Amino acid sequence: MAANEDAAQDFAPKKKPPSEDEKRKKKIVPGSLMKALMRPGGGDSGPSDGDQIIYHCTIRTLDGVLVESTRSDYGGKGTPIRHVLGKSKMLLGLLEGIPTMLKGEVAMFKMKPQLHYGEDDCPISAPDGFPKDDELHFEIELIEFFKAKARMISAKTVTGKLIMSHTEGEPYFFTFGKSEIPKGLEMAIGAMVREEKAVIYVTSQYLTESPLMPVIEDYDEVHFEVELVHFIQVRDMLGDGRLIKRRIRDGKGDFPMDCPLHDSLLRVHYKGTVLNEEKRVFYDTRVDNDGQPLEFCSGEGLVPEGFEMCVRLMLPGEIALVTCPPDYAYDKFPRPLNVPEGAHIQWEIELLGFEMPKDWTGLDFKSIMNEAENIRNTGNRLFKEGKYELAKVKYEKVLREFNHVNPQDDEEGKVFVDTRNLLHLNVAACLLKLGECRKSIETCNKVLEANPAHVKGLYRRGMPTWLWEILKKQGLISKWYKSACLTCLASKVMMKVDKSTESDATAALQKLKQKEQEVEKKLGNNLKGYLTKSLEKLQKLKLM
């Protein structure tokens, strides 16, 4: 019996010893690390061990006093931090907190001293004068994370004996986090930057077996000569594996600071392929556009959504291969004649360059208002095309810029207030179209708080008013009929209160009359039956 127990113990799987980071995490006690979400991110999962993470970090005291930051706005260099999660030396609070974040997320971590530089045996030395004994706020923006690849040149023993060499022929590529190279070598490469060359000394305890070195001989230490050529980025844009961007050629500049993240004028060459059995090319700017690139303004719905999402994360000169599902390609965008419905698309995109929008700093009031009107007109066009979300973004962009505009006299003040009110009402109209009635009312209230008698503000707020919530619960009204009655009532009130709105009100009534005739023609006089059916459908869709 004892022999059998010994045998069972011999064949029992051995537990992998905990890593240094896992040992550190065991020191975390409840309440020592608190997280507050400041801006949500995208995707379904956060980074994991082996991912290279890129993030900005701003540290403040609990009273809001700035301690240090990577951001140029707060005195930093503007260069985000790059680490390999689980490999690089990191503060314990960040090691625990960052894996809970999504791409693009901004979070505030409240850390006790033992979670930052006050940790016993902290692997990172605190900067001079750093308040390591204080509880602090760490504001983190997770810009990006991805698996990285690099090149290894040669490996030698302490005596100079050459173990392996890749100085000729194809370089050796590997992926972080997959144990494809010895552990110590991977840890060191994670701290390198692009185009850096280094000699890395790895002792025997970190010379783990890997495809690079399948057999570890009795080496006390190995010297690896490494050149980090580039990172091949593979980005899951939606977090579900459907929209994938693969970087084929590196661009110029630093990611993401030199990407066209904001609305810009972009110039690209691209080749579009239908991902069917034939993999047929349906358009190539170099062939079908007389060699001329495509120029378009981002944020205006001029290219498919998946196309624009990926281009915004490219650097000038970069070439990327984008695999796109139908709903982000041409199923919701004017489809080329030679692209079938429901087609999965692959674009090979080269970003030639881009021009940022004009900076309003230093512009006089008239120029600022002209720029604002141009952007608002673009929003109006998008609204008429039914692209309400994009239109809302345009209006909100101008409203944000208006926070920094200071009219110099009463005349400028009136123009400014009128334009701002108009933009708020434009946003309210978009929200109403998007089905966000409560937010639409709240946006109208911003206008009415300053001017309770603002006729168009009252008119716009009347469209989604709470009164109709009572009626719809009683099953007395359909979505269209609700809009029709409110339009009629509000339009007549407008004409009585403000004669200058008579043309707009008359147009609204005329449009309503045409709609009524269309409904009657289609359904005859049986309007009640139509309303009942509409109500049932909307209730099923949870629109009523």
Side-chain angles (χ1 to χ4, degrees), residues 370-382:
N370 286 338
E371 290 293 321
E373 186 62 16
N374 289 337
I375 298 173
R376 197 180 75 84
N377 287 337
T378 301
N380 293 345
R381 175 179 62 79
L382 292 168

Side-chain angles (χ1 to χ4, degrees), residues 326-345:
D327 53 329
Y328 281 81
Y330 294 107
D331 275 12
K332 296 181 180 179
F333 189 84
R335 191 170 64 253
L337 293 176
N338 51 353
V339 174
E341 185 177 356
H344 289 257
I345 300 298

Side-chain angles (χ1 to χ4, degrees), residues 12 37 74 90 94 131 159 189 201 217 250 305 458 482:
L37 181 65
Y74 300 124
M90 296 175 61
L94 300 182
T159 60
I189 290 177
Y201 299 82
E217 298 183 22
D250 289 344
E305 185 176 0
L458 291 168
K482 172 178 67 176

Side-chain angles (χ1 to χ4, degrees), residues 260-314:
L261 297 174
H262 302 288
D263 291 351
S264 309
L265 175 63
L266 301 128
R267 292 184 299 111
V268 302
H269 270 304
Y270 78 94
K271 179 169 67 175
T273 303
V274 177
L275 289 180
N276 52 18
E277 293 180 359
E278 301 174 359
K279 291 189 175 180
R280 174 174 49 82
V281 176
F282 64 87
Y283 192 83
D284 187 339
T285 52
R286 289 184 169 87
V287 176
D288 302 306
N289 199 36
D290 298 326
Q292 297 300 310
L294 170 69
E295 288 193 358
F296 69 97
C297 291
S298 54
E300 297 187 10
L302 300 176
V303 295
E305 185 176 0
F307 189 102
E308 182 170 317
M309 287 174 64
C310 293
V311 173
R312 284 180 182 267
L313 294 179
M314 295 177 66

Side-chain angles (χ1 to χ4, degrees), residues 59-68 131 134-138:
I59 307 173
R60 295 183 177 89
T61 66
L62 299 191
D63 296 330
V65 178
L66 181 68
V67 177
E68 66 177 28
D134 294 348
E135 192 171 5
L136 299 171
H137 281 153
F138 284 69

Side-chain angles (χ1 to χ4, degrees), residues 62-196:
L62 299 191
D63 296 330
V65 178
L66 181 68
V67 177
E68 66 177 28
S69 177
T70 58
R71 296 182 179 278
S72 56
D73 294 347
Y74 300 124
K77 295 181 180 179
T79 304
I81 299 169
R82 295 171 182 262
H83 280 144
V84 176
L85 199 59
K87 308 297 178 183
S88 304
K89 294 180 179 180
M90 296 175 61
L91 296 179
L92 180 55
L94 300 182
L95 188 66
E96 179 74 5
I98 288 181
T100 69
M101 301 178 66
L102 300 174
K103 290 176 184 176
E105 180 180 321
V106 178
M108 181 73 77
F109 293 96
K110 183 180 180 181
M111 298 187 196
K112 298 286 188 183
Q114 60 267 30
L115 269 294
H116 54 79
Y117 292 102
E119 177 193 3
D120 294 336
D121 301 320
C122 181
I124 307 173
S125 300
D128 293 339
F130 190 93
K132 65 177 185 178
D133 297 324
D134 294 348
E135 192 171 5
L136 299 171
H137 281 153
F138 284 69
E139 180 186 310
I140 304 297
E141 179 186 5
L142 182 56
I143 299 170
E144 174 66 290
F145 64 89
F146 49 81
K147 301 294 182 187
K149 295 190 177 182
R151 181 173 72 175
M152 197 281 298
I153 298 175
S154 66
K156 299 178 182 179
T157 64
V158 177
T159 60
K161 176 185 174 182
L162 185 66
I163 301 173
M164 62 185 64
S165 175
H166 287 276
T167 54
E168 297 180 359
E170 290 296 319
Y172 183 86
F173 286 90
F174 73 95
T175 304
F176 277 116
K178 294 191 176 180
S179 302
E180 294 177 0
I181 60 173
K183 177 181 177 181
L185 180 60
E186 183 174 300
M187 292 170 64
I189 290 177
M192 296 174 64
V193 297
R194 183 181 296 159
E195 298 183 356
E196 178 181 348

Side-chain angles (χ1 to χ4, degrees), residues 26-66:
K26 290 181 179 180
K27 297 187 290 185
I28 300 175
V29 297
S32 60
L33 178 64
M34 307 288 284
K35 176 184 175 182
L37 181 65
M38 300 176 67
R39 186 185 73 195
D44 297 324
S45 60
S48 57
D49 281 358
D51 285 350
Q52 181 168 80
I53 53 176
I54 305 175
Y55 63 96
H56 270 302
C57 177
T58 300
I59 307 173
R60 295 183 177 89
T61 66
L62 299 191
D63 296 330
V65 178
L66 181 68

